[in-house]
Amino acid sequence: MALQFKTNMKCGGCEAKATPFLNEALGEGNWQLDTTVPEKRLTVLAPDTTPDTVQQAVEKAGFKAEILSN
């Protein structure tokens, strides 16, 4: 099951800044950021990942993430 979050990451530069934090917390290839949609959706496919883990990694990178209801 994928977790989806609304973020304030607006561009490729934001994604590049967050990548090391997300890769460390979630594993490389276990997440995807879509900045073309209004909510700047972060989709997490990492198994056994909690919303708190994702939000903490995003906050460490200097951004915000709010879980979207599935």
Side-chain angles (χ1 to χ4, degrees):
M1 181 179 87
L3 297 173
Q4 295 190 333
F5 298 83
K6 176 182 178 180
T7 74
N8 64 342
M9 293 185 262
K10 296 179 170 71
C11 63
C14 297
E15 183 175 0
K17 182 177 176 184
T19 293
F21 298 94
L22 293 171
N23 283 349
E24 180 182 344
L26 310 172
E28 191 171 346
N30 287 329
W31 60 274
Q32 179 179 0
L33 179 65
D34 185 354
T35 58
T36 64
V37 295
E39 62 269 11
K40 313 301 183 203
R41 185 180 308 123
L42 173 64
T43 302
V44 178
L45 302 170
D48 303 322
T49 299
T50 66
D52 284 342
T53 300
V54 177
Q55 288 170 313
Q56 287 173 7
V58 171
E59 286 174 11
K60 281 183 186 177
F63 300 101
K64 294 181 182 179
E66 175 184 331
I67 194 157
L68 296 170
S69 46
N70 293 345

